[in-house]
Amino acid sequence: MDTIVFATNNEHKVEEIKSVIRGRYDIISLNEAGIAIDIPEPHATLEENATEKSSTIYRLTGKNCFSEDTGLEVEALNGAPGVKSARYAGEGKSPTDNIAKLLEELLGKKNRKARFRTIISLIINNSEYRFEGICEGAITEEPKGNLGFGYDSVFVPSGSSKTFAEMELEEKNKFSHRKKATVKLASFLSGFGKK
Ligand code: IMP
């Protein structure tokens, strides 16, 4: 089976993506590839950061690889925290602090609309391909649930009354931004090289 490196240190993301891609490709995380690196995310868009991560790992390993970058875009905050989602409350990247800051910024605001947007950047045989996944939803008044990661406990996807943190992965995958982008990646990979 061909191997593709997933350029992330986030084991939650690895589990989510492995749950979607099975079969022709063996997905290995940076950890499993024995690479210890914290790849910078210096750019102003998710697209550029995703490319930065995949191209860094491609340069380092010479192996086919992909990365993903996700942002939470809140309508009443003009799209913030967006590309800065991981470091919203500071360089510590603390999910608890990020959530506290988000709820504070939204205090008293009626418009709680938000969406998660994921960009996957795949580099295969020296060419780059990008895939996008979006999940619309809303931010709760307070955190609920303890599954998942990041902002999951304050995000309710449209079509559900539960936060992502109240859902097992199988249920989160019915709505998830990452699942949608990954399905596009999987479909591309399953056709790749067959022509
Ligand atoms: P990054 O893509 O790892 O830079 O993630 C940006 C920020 O969004 C981090 O704070 C993550 O914890 C958070 N995040 C990414 N994906 C999800 C998700 O599926 N649910 C909740 N939070 C997420």
Side-chain angles (χ1 to χ4, degrees):
M1 205 186 300
D2 292 333
T3 297
I4 297 193
V5 178
F6 180 14
T8 187
N9 293 310
N10 182 329
E11 293 305 324
H12 289 281
K13 289 185 177 179
V14 176
E15 189 193 352
E16 289 193 9
I17 286 195
K18 280 188 177 176
S19 76
V20 182
I21 298 191
R22 289 182 205 91
R24 207 157 103 69
Y25 289 89
D26 187 22
I27 308 294
I28 59 166
S29 66
L30 288 181
N31 194 14
E32 288 166 323
I35 302 166
I37 180 176
D38 191 15
I39 310 165
E41 300 178 332
H43 301 290
T45 64
L46 297 175
E47 283 81 358
E48 289 167 291
N49 281 337
T51 300
E52 175 88 27
K53 291 192 251 189
S54 56
S55 52
T56 301
I57 295 307
Y58 194 71
R59 268 199 310 275
L60 271 177
T61 64
K63 288 190 184 3
N64 293 332
C65 63
F66 66 92
S67 69
E68 68 94 78
D69 204 32
T70 295
L72 176 64
E73 301 173 341
V74 180
E75 195 173 271
L77 303 177
N78 300 316
V83 71
K84 302 218 174 333
S85 295
R87 294 171 172 80
Y88 193 38
E91 285 304 311
K93 298 204 257 180
S94 153
T96 317
D97 293 351
N98 285 340
I99 286 173
K101 176 164 179 185
L102 178 66
L103 294 183
E104 201 180 300
E105 296 285 337
L106 285 177
L107 207 63
K109 291 214 165 44
K110 286 221 168 61
N111 179 3
R112 316 285 298 187
K113 271 194 215 161
R115 63 181 198 170
F116 275 113
R117 197 162 71 87
T118 289
I119 299 292
I120 291 179
S121 160
L122 168 72
I123 301 186
I124 191 161
N125 299 354
N126 220 13
S127 295
E128 186 192 13
Y129 305 86
R130 285 194 189 129
F131 309 93
E132 182 183 58
I134 290 175
C135 175
E136 302 284 350
I139 303 298
T140 53
E141 304 273 343
E142 56 188 42
K144 279 185 215 141
N146 44 30
L147 301 170
F149 69 104
Y151 295 90
D152 275 347
S153 63
V154 290
F155 184 85
V156 175
S158 301
S160 177
S161 53
K162 289 193 228 169
T163 68
F164 272 159
E166 295 176 295
M167 297 180 186
E168 297 293 341
L169 184 51
E170 200 182 320
E171 192 177 0
K172 179 177 176 181
N173 273 345
K174 288 184 192 151
F175 303 96
S176 141
H177 42 295
R178 187 165 300 101
K179 164 78 188 277
K180 288 173 188 158
T182 309
V183 164
K184 292 180 189 171
L185 168 70
S187 147
F188 176 87
L189 286 174
S190 70
F192 192 79
K194 285 191 180 162
K195 285 176 214 148

